[in-house]
Amino acid sequence: MSRASIPTLETRRLILRAPEPEDYPDFKTTFASYRSRFMGGPLNAYEAWMLYAAEIGHWDIRGFGMWMIHAREDDRTLGMAGGWQPAAWPERELAWIIWPRESGHGYALEATDAARRHLYAQGWAGAVSYVDPKNLDSIRLCERLGAKRDPDAATIDGNDAVYRHPAPDALDDTRLSWAIAREIAHYADPKFRPEGMPLD
């Protein structure tokens, strides 16, 4: 799938679209930072460039991939979310990363919910997320998305926890889908000011 044919997804606050070369600086900065410690980082400039090239090429090879998340209000990039299955990945993954300065506003929840619904509509029967057991923010996000730890699932390298997402029919008009939509609506409310540790 060429970048020109990658679909654009829109939510109340976000636009998810194909990664572009001009989006690379934020990606590079994030993967050079401590924020990337649970995703193989921090990376040097060459490693970050190779990974970003893989993000773009993944769409051509697999027919799905990671969208760049943009804010509707000013088009700034916020992070990435989508499908991911490079070589040696046992299953299709729902993955995400939010830039450090943009965390705590519910963007990861809103983006992954939209990405998962789209991927399921395209025929995915399910998905997993591979999470470092020390990455508590991502574990909380998995749980908010309804994913449950699957101790019997194959891992990438034995050091990751596998969270299995609900199947498509478990999301159709269910209490879980209502709860996700409600939380996203709270974050979108300009009067909502979450306190304490960021949730994503």
Side-chain angles (χ1 to χ4, degrees):
M1 175 181 288
S2 69
R3 276 192 297 131
S5 59
I6 295 172
T8 296
L9 310 183
E10 298 190 22
T11 70
R12 183 169 174 178
R13 296 184 297 164
L14 309 175
I15 299 174
L16 281 64
R17 58 177 183 257
E20 299 287 348
E22 57 267 27
D23 299 325
Y24 174 64
D26 286 327
F27 180 93
K28 176 184 175 183
T29 298
T30 296
F31 272 90
S33 75
Y34 187 63
R35 176 83 168 173
S36 68
R37 67 196 182 280
F38 297 126
M39 292 161 283
L43 305 181
N44 63 37
Y46 175 76
E47 291 167 334
W49 189 91
M50 292 293 286
L51 181 57
Y52 194 66
E55 298 279 4
I56 293 173
H58 191 283
W59 283 97
D60 283 327
I61 296 169
R62 295 292 196 200
F64 61 87
M66 300 279 281
W67 284 273
M68 189 63 65
I69 307 167
H70 294 260
R72 262 186 188 279
E73 61 180 0
D74 59 9
D75 204 43
R76 73 188 188 279
T77 66
L78 307 171
M80 299 185 79
W84 187 240
Q85 193 183 18
W89 253 235
E91 299 184 59
R92 290 174 169 178
E93 180 181 16
L94 181 67
W96 60 87
I97 183 168
I98 298 296
W99 309 153
R101 67 178 182 273
E102 303 292 356
S103 65
H105 301 286
Y107 297 136
L109 178 67
E110 190 167 342
T112 51
D113 176 61
R116 184 172 66 180
R117 285 187 285 105
H118 175 83
L119 294 168
Y120 280 7
Q122 298 304 303
W124 282 33
V128 299
S129 291
Y130 299 105
V131 182
D132 187 303
K134 299 184 291 297
N135 189 348
L136 300 182
D137 286 350
S138 285
I139 289 172
R140 283 194 291 266
L141 179 57
C142 285
E143 292 171 345
R144 287 151 62 210
L145 288 163
K148 299 185 183 302
R149 187 164 185 175
D150 184 350
D152 300 319
T155 68
I156 299 169
D157 60 10
N159 297 313
D160 48 299
V162 182
Y163 280 79
R164 189 165 300 282
H165 290 266
D169 59 0
L171 293 174
D172 290 339
D173 196 27
T174 63
R175 188 173 187 176
L176 172 61
S177 61
W178 178 88
I180 293 170
R182 187 68 175 165
E183 184 176 350
I184 291 169
H186 283 163
Y187 274 109
D189 184 341
K191 296 188 293 295
F192 181 63
R193 295 290 184 268
E195 296 180 356
M197 183 178 293
L199 293 174
D200 53 28

